[in-house]
Amino acid sequence: MAALSKKNFRLWGYGKVFVLFAGCLLFSVSGRLNGGIYFEQHILSAVSDHYYLTCFLLPVLLLSCFSFLEDDGENVILRFQSYHSYFYRKWLGTGGIVLLLIAVQNAAVLLSGMGLSGGNGWELPEGAADAELFFVLRQYFSTPVQAFAAFSACQFFGGWMIIGFCMWIGHFGGRKWSVRVILALYILSVLWMKIPAVRSLPLTGFNHLLILHHNLGTHHRFAVTGITLLLFTIIITVTVRFRWRGRISLPRPRISGITACYLRELAARQKLLALCAVVLVITLYKAGAGFRLQSGQEWVYSLFAGHGTGCFRVFPFLEMLIVNGAPLYLLAAFLEWTASGQSYFISVRAESRRKLLSGILWAGTGFLAAYALLWFAAGLFGIFFFGYADGITAWKMLLYAVIMKFLDTMGQYLAMMCVYAVSRQVTIGFLVPAVGNLLCVVPRQWVSYLPFGLSGLTRIAELNSGAGFPAAAALGTEAVVIMLTLGWLLTFGSKKILV
């Protein structure tokens, strides 16, 4: 075991120790600049800073895991007589690395507090940044030094458990799956601090193992973490002992045939960059004009406002044309490419015209779904970085707006294909949904019920004091339009659109 531990230390390298020391010292000194606190309070504040722990210590720890993620050769494992004995001793030996990291961290914290006066009490100056945290901790610990020791012990144990999990997933999933799973759990840890909705879920991330106060102050949070650790320990014990030859193997969905060809055409770099540019420009424009927004609902409403009916406003009108017209123009060019490039060879390979049409429809649906996801990311941008994460209402509103955006553009795409099937002119097919969007300026009541541009939140009654279309009715209208146009295309369109 001693030789195995020395090998792990050698593979790990000691450069991370100096990086951790410098980073921890920098974070600790910046926290000391607030002033007015005692030495004991300062060291507790430094080791409980969840931004330092999540954005610095946790990445250093996860990077350390990759140094000995993979198993040793069979000749090394055979010395331990069984794989589970090898795994447990290797995991036990990594505790020395975690202990060294925590010791270096605490040394940097203690060094940063030199010169401060002593005072092992909970009273903080008025307006101190850690007042809320200290109020919670004083309910569990008698002094800041006791809390400091508990935080250090939690970080050691949690770090050791994280390394064990990474070793386990590395054995059963390989390096590729390890990167995916570890990155996903790290993102979960970051989102847990930012999104109230995520904090309400009974999930355990790396942050709960490493940051003690993330398990305090809320009902059942500590129990959820404890149960997760217990289940994790049982799973490791059983699988390492009885299923150690197994591997994680999920079936890979493979898209082949004409649909794959069409998806590659739509996923060309120029087309994706064009969509990203549209979303980025509109988002930055809304962010620059929305400095007075006070909530997440206001941000989502501003981003997906669109253009109302019965009026004309220049900038919202141009925004609607760009947002709805950009993907339709790219799909029109794609439709012309597919129709003009048909041949008897392609038709025979696709086996039937209906399958050929289905490939076009599936490719266009994936393209519009990617466009909707870009808008979802734009909504998250405002909610996270502008500090508008104010409850579940904004998230429901964002989800509804993105679904409506997808259904709206999908309905217009299918309408364009229907017109093209009848007229055999891509330009006419593109102009029909474009004109449908232009009709919003007509000062008539019936314009409010048109399906074109209905994803604009200014046309939803619940968000505009009852003026407009009910949210459920708008969703149903778009769904009906999609079903009708899709049904017509699959029944009659394949005979007309492909010649």
Side-chain angles (χ1 to χ4, degrees):
M1 177 176 172
L4 186 60
S5 299
K6 290 180 181 179
K7 180 183 178 181
N8 289 334
F9 269 97
R10 186 173 65 254
L11 292 175
W12 175 62
Y14 292 92
K16 299 180 183 67
V17 171
F18 300 102
V19 173
L20 178 64
F21 182 83
C24 181
L25 188 62
L26 181 62
F27 273 92
S28 301
V29 170
S30 63
R32 175 178 174 169
L33 296 178
N34 296 327
I37 59 177
Y38 296 110
F39 175 81
E40 292 82 356
Q41 296 172 342
H42 166 73
I43 60 175
L44 174 59
S45 174
V47 298
S48 62
D49 183 358
H50 53 202
Y51 288 104
Y52 153 73
L53 295 171
T54 306
C55 301
F56 193 80
L57 178 61
L58 182 55
V60 170
L61 181 64
L62 294 178
L63 287 175
S64 300
C65 296
F66 286 95
S67 301
F68 37 82
L69 191 66
E70 300 174 349
D71 292 332
D72 293 282
E74 292 186 1
N75 57 334
V76 176
I77 298 177
L78 288 175
R79 297 176 185 175
F80 296 89
Q81 299 182 351
S82 64
Y83 180 79
H84 66 270
S85 177
Y86 158 78
F87 182 88
Y88 294 145
R89 295 188 183 187
K90 181 180 177 181
W91 186 13
L92 184 62
T94 60
I97 294 176
V98 182
L99 182 61
L100 178 60
L101 288 175
I102 301 304
V104 169
Q105 169 195 270
N106 290 349
V109 169
L110 294 173
L111 180 63
S112 67
M114 292 182 61
L116 293 175
S117 57
N120 198 17
W122 293 106
E123 293 75 17
L124 290 173
E126 185 178 355
D130 296 314
E132 183 178 355
L133 173 62
F134 277 38
F135 176 78
V136 174
L137 294 180
R138 69 189 305 172
Q139 302 176 32
Y140 299 91
F141 306 101
S142 58
T143 63
V145 171
Q146 188 182 63
F148 171 79
F151 269 85
S152 300
C154 175
Q155 289 163 12
F156 167 73
F157 179 74
W160 183 64
M161 293 297 294
I162 289 173
I163 288 182
F165 172 80
C166 293
M167 288 172 50
W168 177 76
I169 197 66
H171 170 72
F172 288 99
R175 181 170 289 269
K176 181 182 293 186
W177 271 104
S178 300
V179 172
R180 295 174 180 176
V181 173
I182 292 172
L183 183 60
L185 289 175
Y186 177 74
I187 293 175
L188 174 65
S189 301
V190 175
L191 294 181
W192 191 90
M193 296 191 304
K194 289 290 186 180
I195 307 176
V198 176
R199 287 199 292 269
S200 63
L201 298 176
L203 301 175
T204 300
F206 289 147
N207 59 306
H208 296 102
L209 303 180
L210 203 63
I211 307 175
L212 179 60
H213 64 274
H214 281 190
N215 300 291
L216 306 176
T218 56
H219 297 294
H220 310 302
R221 179 61 260 178
F222 196 84
V224 170
T225 304
I227 293 173
T228 303
L229 283 176
L230 178 61
L231 292 176
F232 168 62
T233 305
I234 294 174
I235 291 173
I236 283 185
T237 303
V238 173
T239 54
V240 168
R241 187 174 183 86
F242 300 106
R243 293 290 185 269
W244 63 275
R245 291 186 181 276
R247 292 291 184 272
I248 297 175
S249 179
L250 297 180
R252 294 183 178 180
R254 182 180 179 183
I255 302 175
S256 59
I258 197 67
T259 303
C261 174
Y262 289 155
L263 281 174
R264 283 193 293 269
E265 174 63 23
L266 277 176
R269 180 178 299 180
Q270 295 85 349
K271 293 183 175 63
L272 296 180
L273 288 178
L275 292 186
C276 292
V278 169
V279 176
L280 180 62
V281 170
I282 298 299
T283 303
L284 293 179
Y285 167 72
K286 294 289 187 176
F291 60 93
R292 295 182 179 178
L293 299 179
Q294 300 297 323
S295 66
Q297 294 96 306
E298 292 183 8
W299 164 254
V300 175
Y301 183 86
S302 172
L303 187 63
F304 295 92
H307 191 280
T309 57
C311 62
F312 177 75
R313 294 176 295 165
V314 177
F315 288 108
F317 183 76
L318 293 176
E319 174 196 336
M320 180 190 65
L321 291 183
I322 294 173
V323 170
N324 294 339
L328 292 179
Y329 176 79
L330 296 175
L331 287 171
F334 162 72
L335 185 59
E336 185 175 21
W337 174 80
T338 56
S340 63
Q342 299 307 323
S343 66
Y344 289 111
F345 174 74
I346 295 178
S347 299
V348 170
R349 289 292 301 273
E351 298 179 2
S352 68
R353 290 181 176 182
R354 177 168 292 186
K355 287 189 177 181
L356 204 59
L357 177 62
S358 297
I360 297 175
L361 292 175
W362 276 113
T365 301
F367 185 73
L368 293 176
Y371 186 58
L373 288 177
L374 289 176
W375 282 110
F376 184 75
L380 294 181
F381 170 79
I383 292 178
F384 287 160
F385 293 95
F386 288 92
Y388 298 149
D390 54 350
I392 198 66
T393 305
W395 297 98
K396 291 181 178 179
M397 189 173 172
L398 175 61
L399 184 62
Y400 174 81
V402 171
I403 292 175
M404 283 296 296
K405 177 64 66 179
F406 171 74
L407 295 178
D408 188 10
T409 52
M410 187 66 188
Q412 296 184 48
Y413 170 53
L414 295 176
M416 179 178 68
M417 290 190 64
C418 290
V419 175
Y420 172 73
V422 175
S423 65
R424 299 295 301 159
Q425 294 291 327
V426 175
T427 303
I428 297 177
F430 173 72
L431 288 177
V432 167
V435 172
N437 284 283
L438 294 176
L439 290 176
C440 67
V441 301
V442 178
R444 292 292 185 270
Q445 182 65 29
W446 55 268
V447 177
S448 302
Y449 304 101
L450 290 176
F452 302 109
L454 195 55
S455 59
L457 297 184
T458 54
R459 297 175 61 175
I460 304 302
E462 287 84 348
L463 304 176
N464 296 278
S465 304
F469 218 21
L475 192 67
T477 299
E478 294 289 3
V480 169
V481 170
I482 290 176
M483 287 189 293
L484 291 177
T485 52
L486 185 60
W488 187 89
L489 281 171
L490 293 177
T491 305
F492 306 104
S494 60
K495 302 176 182 179
K496 297 177 178 292
I497 200 170
L498 301 173
V499 179

